[in-house]
């Protein structure tokens, strides 16, 4: 209690000093309230997220103050942006105006050398290293491995079942895909431990960054430390195997990163950078794709005409295979155009990531307002995706919106970001999503068990009952499963 009072007092004095020091420019900051020191609007917004009202909370704020306003979020003075013009600003501004620095709760969990924190040449170097492994030319060779992993999942968790919870199983699938294809971790105790630690780590991403015993943030930090230890063990083991030529340089993401060299033949990345960015890859590849697949399954059950169109496309691809146990290929995935348009519409309606952060590096003039140096930016880019002036009838599930990509207004659909910050794992997510949907619609039928599937965000969408469905095999599973 005394510690909390001390931190509140220090934060109040810091804010007071800041206001006095910047008393002239303060009059020009955007409208809004900073609320109580440290706490600000953090608890209020967190409560709205858990009640699945996060988007509504942000929309109400935009209606009250306009597309730009100030608040206090995660113990930092913050400017909130929303709308197409601000999406463009985020995508196109240079590294001297905004940095990608994240709130303390996120940066401490991911590590200081993660891609989200880097800017300038460091960001270009790190992004280039990850993209080299995740670019389409490299991923073509991993389609068969993805196919095998998904078939194994269906055999273990779907075959012989009459009812299953979709969301937990999709999280199991995406975690196993990451462990197998990206980290090269065998099934067993180490993988199970990492899965448990990862869940604990995620619990504190948007917690107040107060590292006291028994706090949510403290528990997440301890889990991150233990998970980091496992990743460092992997790095050490793989470096030794590479040295002894026991594995190839493109065996998985970690071996690829370890093998990269700069112009002087020195390692391109440090072990800390590999460790921190493995944590980023776990978050980016686990929750985002599992959420996409979960909502995809739900929306296909609710929209039979879309389901039939997806099914017809996938059945045509299945008929072209010589035998039913032939794995999918890169060329097969290229034919799944309608299925990917449906997936894009799922991400428009239910974006896994509702907002992201930036840091102001110098005073920025935004129309009549001034954004002070050092402020945090809270950017809700996805709000354009439900704007009826941009997407007519925005809450309707309509994959045909994307038949003409040129008709989509720029900077309004941000499922994978944009510009130099475009998610390097977008092709990996596409392969995983299309492969899973192919086997689901060609081998299974399903229907929702509940009329109302309540959900919350913390910070990712979570179905409270896991989205239970009844399933039935419509085509016998062969030995390939």
């Amino acid at each position: 209690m005394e510690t909390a009072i001390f931190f509140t007092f220090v934060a109040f004095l810091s804010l007071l000093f800041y206001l006095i020091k910047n008393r002239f420019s303060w009059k020009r900051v955007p409208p809004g309230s900073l609320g109580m020191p440290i706490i600000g609007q953090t608890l209020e917004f967190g409560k709205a997220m858990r009640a699945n009202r996060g988007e509504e909370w942000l929309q109400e704020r935009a209606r009250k103050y306009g597309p730009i306003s100030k608040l206090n979020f995660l113990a930092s003075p913050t400017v909130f942006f929303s709308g197409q013009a601000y999406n463009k600003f985020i995508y196109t501004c240079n590294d001297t105006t905004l940095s990608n620095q994240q709130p303390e709760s996120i940066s401490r969990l991911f590590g200081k050398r993660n891609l989200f924190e880097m800017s300038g040449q460091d960001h270009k170097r790190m992004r280039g290293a990850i993209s080299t492994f995740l670019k389409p030319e490299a991923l073509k060779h991993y389609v068969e491995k993805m196919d095998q992993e998904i078939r194994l999942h269906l055999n273990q968790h779907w075959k012989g079942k009459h009812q299953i919870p979709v969301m937990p199983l999709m999280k199991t699938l995406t975690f196993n895909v990451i462990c197998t294809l990206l980290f090269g971790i065998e099934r067993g105790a180490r993988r199970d431990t990492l899965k448990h630690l990862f869940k604990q780590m995620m619990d504190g991403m948007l917690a107040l960054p107060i590292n006291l015993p028994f706090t949510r943030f403290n528990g997440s930090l301890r889990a991150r430390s233990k998970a980091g230890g496992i990743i460092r063990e992997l790095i050490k083991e793989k470096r030794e195997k590479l040295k002894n030529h026991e594995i190839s340089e493109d065996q998985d993401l970690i071996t690829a990163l370890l093998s990269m060299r700069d112009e002087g033949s020195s390692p391109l990345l440090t072990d800390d950078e590999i460790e921190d960015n493995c944590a980023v890859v776990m978050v980016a590849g686990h929750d985002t794709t599992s959420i996409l697949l979960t909502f995809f399954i739900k929306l296909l059950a609710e929209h039979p005409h879309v389901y039939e169109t997806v099914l017809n496309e996938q059945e045509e691809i299945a008929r072209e295979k010589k035998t039913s146990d032939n794995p999918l290929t890169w060329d097969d995935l290229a034919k799944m155009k309608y299925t990917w348009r449906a997936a894009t519409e799922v991400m428009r309606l239910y974006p896994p990531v509702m907002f992201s952060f930036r840091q102001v590096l110098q005073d920025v003039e935004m129309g009549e307002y001034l954004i002070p140096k050092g402020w945090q930016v809270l950017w809700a880019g996805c709000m354009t995706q439900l704007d009826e002036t941009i997407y007519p009838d925005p809450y309707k599930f309509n994959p045909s919106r994307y038949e003409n990509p040129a008709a989509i207004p720029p900077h309004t659909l941000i499922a994978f970001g944009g510009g130099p910050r475009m998610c390097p794992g977008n092709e990996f997510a596409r392969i995983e999503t299309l492969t899973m949907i192919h086997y689901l619609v060609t081998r299974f039928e399903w229907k929702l068990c509940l009329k109302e599937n309540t959900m919350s965000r913390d910070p990712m969408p979570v179905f409270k009952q896991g989205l239970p469905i009844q399933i039935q095999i419509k085509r016998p599973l062969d030995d390939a499963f």
Side-chain angles (χ1 to χ4, degrees):
M1 183 66 180
E2 292 178 355
T3 305
I5 294 173
F6 171 75
F7 279 119
T8 302
F9 180 67
V10 170
F12 175 75
L13 290 180
S14 299
L15 182 60
L16 183 62
F17 174 76
Y18 182 88
L19 293 174
I20 294 172
K21 182 180 177 182
N22 298 274
R23 59 188 179 279
F24 298 111
S25 62
W26 185 260
K27 295 179 180 178
R28 296 184 54 209
V29 299
S33 168
L34 292 178
M36 295 176 61
I38 297 184
I39 297 174
Q41 286 80 15
T42 304
L43 299 182
E44 178 187 339
F45 183 46
K47 181 179 178 180
M49 291 277 285
R50 288 188 291 276
N52 194 29
R53 291 187 59 256
E55 187 176 281
E56 182 181 337
W57 191 90
L58 294 173
Q59 288 173 337
E60 289 175 358
R61 185 171 192 85
R63 282 193 292 268
K64 183 176 182 179
Y65 297 114
I68 178 171
S69 60
K70 69 174 182 288
L71 68 157
N72 177 354
F73 191 62
L74 295 175
S76 296
T78 302
V79 59
F80 167 63
F81 286 157
S82 68
Q84 185 177 5
Y86 293 104
N87 287 357
K88 181 179 180 180
F89 169 72
I90 293 289
Y91 289 148
T92 59
C93 73
N94 57 45
D95 286 336
T96 63
T97 303
L98 296 182
S99 79
N100 213 34
Q101 183 177 341
Q102 301 296 299
E104 185 180 356
S105 59
I106 295 177
S107 65
R108 289 185 65 181
L109 289 174
F110 284 160
K112 294 296 185 182
R113 299 303 297 167
N114 79 77
L115 186 66
F116 291 159
E117 291 285 313
M118 292 179 172
S119 59
Q121 289 301 312
D122 271 353
H123 179 268
K124 186 176 180 180
R125 173 176 57 87
M126 190 69 241
R127 179 184 169 82
I130 295 176
S131 297
T132 298
F133 181 82
L134 294 175
K135 63 185 179 182
E137 293 79 6
L139 290 177
K140 287 180 181 180
H141 305 292
Y142 287 86
V143 175
E144 185 172 347
K145 288 184 179 180
M146 182 76 77
D147 186 285
Q148 293 171 351
E149 190 68 28
I150 286 173
R151 288 176 179 234
L152 178 61
H153 170 85
L154 291 171
N155 185 48
Q156 291 180 339
H157 301 287
W158 290 61
K159 182 180 178 181
K161 304 293 194 303
H162 299 290
Q163 181 173 317
I164 60 167
V166 174
M167 180 162 271
L169 288 187
M170 291 303 99
K171 289 182 180 293
T172 296
L173 169 67
T174 54
F175 184 81
N176 283 331
V177 165
I178 290 170
C179 287
T180 299
L181 274 70
L182 298 186
F183 295 165
I185 305 176
E186 299 292 334
R187 283 177 165 79
R190 180 155 64 175
R191 185 186 286 200
D192 293 341
T193 299
L194 189 60
K195 182 178 182 179
H196 176 69
L197 292 172
F198 174 67
K199 183 181 183 304
Q200 286 184 305
M201 188 181 98
M202 287 292 294
D203 285 344
M205 276 187 63
L206 288 184
L208 283 169
I210 300 174
N211 186 17
L212 295 175
F214 308 112
T215 63
R216 194 176 183 184
F217 186 60
N218 177 265
S220 293
L221 283 178
R222 287 187 284 110
R224 170 63 175 88
S225 178
K226 293 176 182 178
I230 293 176
I231 295 172
R232 288 192 296 274
E233 285 178 5
L234 283 169
I235 293 171
K236 182 179 179 181
E237 291 171 9
K238 291 176 185 295
R239 178 180 284 116
E240 188 66 23
K241 289 182 178 181
L242 283 168
K243 180 180 177 181
N244 296 330
H245 305 288
E246 296 176 23
I247 55 177
S248 64
E249 294 181 354
D250 60 354
Q251 182 87 8
D252 51 56
L253 177 63
I254 295 179
T255 57
L257 296 179
L258 282 170
S259 303
M260 292 177 184
R261 295 290 184 267
D262 61 17
E263 295 178 357
S265 296
S266 298
L268 184 65
L269 306 174
T270 67
D271 285 5
D272 285 345
E273 288 173 335
I274 295 175
E275 176 192 333
D276 290 352
N277 285 283
C278 281
V280 169
V281 167
M282 286 180 68
V283 174
H286 175 262
D287 274 344
T288 53
T289 308
S290 65
I291 289 166
L292 165 58
L293 284 167
T294 299
F295 279 100
F296 206 156
I297 290 169
K298 178 178 184 290
L299 289 170
L300 286 179
E302 294 173 337
H303 297 83
H305 65 290
V306 177
Y307 170 84
E308 287 297 327
T309 308
V310 169
L311 175 61
N312 290 339
E313 182 175 77
Q314 298 301 333
E315 290 283 14
E316 179 64 28
I317 292 168
R319 281 193 293 269
E320 293 176 358
K321 313 300 289 183
K322 291 183 179 180
T323 64
S324 60
D325 61 349
N326 275 29
L328 291 171
T329 66
W330 183 263
D331 290 339
D332 292 330
L333 299 179
K335 298 173 185 176
M336 301 180 185
K337 291 181 171 56
Y338 182 84
T339 305
W340 188 244
R341 287 201 293 268
T344 303
E345 181 72 341
V346 173
M347 290 184 283
R348 183 190 68 82
L349 285 166
Y350 300 102
V353 180
M354 183 180 291
F355 51 83
S356 58
F357 300 93
R358 299 289 190 272
Q359 196 80 16
V360 181
L361 298 178
Q362 59 183 352
D363 289 355
V364 178
E365 299 277 350
M366 300 290 290
E368 63 184 297
Y369 302 120
L370 181 141
I371 313 301
K373 174 183 176 181
W375 275 38
Q376 176 177 260
V377 173
L378 172 65
W379 166 53
C382 66
M383 288 178 67
T384 56
Q385 296 176 186
L386 293 175
D387 188 334
E388 63 183 359
T389 65
I390 300 173
Y391 295 95
D393 201 0
Y395 292 94
K396 181 181 179 181
F397 181 50
N398 180 17
S400 64
R401 297 180 196 272
Y402 313 103
E403 291 176 356
N404 178 15
I408 303 299
H411 310 299
T412 64
L413 187 64
I414 61 162
F416 293 105
R421 299 278 177 185
M422 175 73 77
C423 174
N426 61 325
E427 279 296 325
F428 189 86
R430 188 179 74 90
I431 294 171
E432 188 173 5
T433 300
L434 292 176
T435 305
M436 184 60 171
I437 293 300
H438 171 81
Y439 285 111
L440 286 184
V441 299
T442 58
R443 304 301 176 93
F444 295 90
E445 293 178 340
W446 67 89
K447 63 180 181 179
L448 303 176
C449 292
L450 304 175
K451 291 184 178 180
E452 294 292 333
N453 286 281
T454 57
M455 56 171 284
S456 65
R457 279 185 177 265
D458 194 26
M460 305 287 195
V462 177
F463 282 101
K464 294 182 179 180
Q465 293 83 22
L467 189 67
I469 60 172
Q470 293 178 3
I471 61 174
Q472 181 178 348
I473 293 179
K474 64 179 181 181
R475 180 180 300 173
L477 300 179
D478 50 46
D479 292 339
F481 276 78

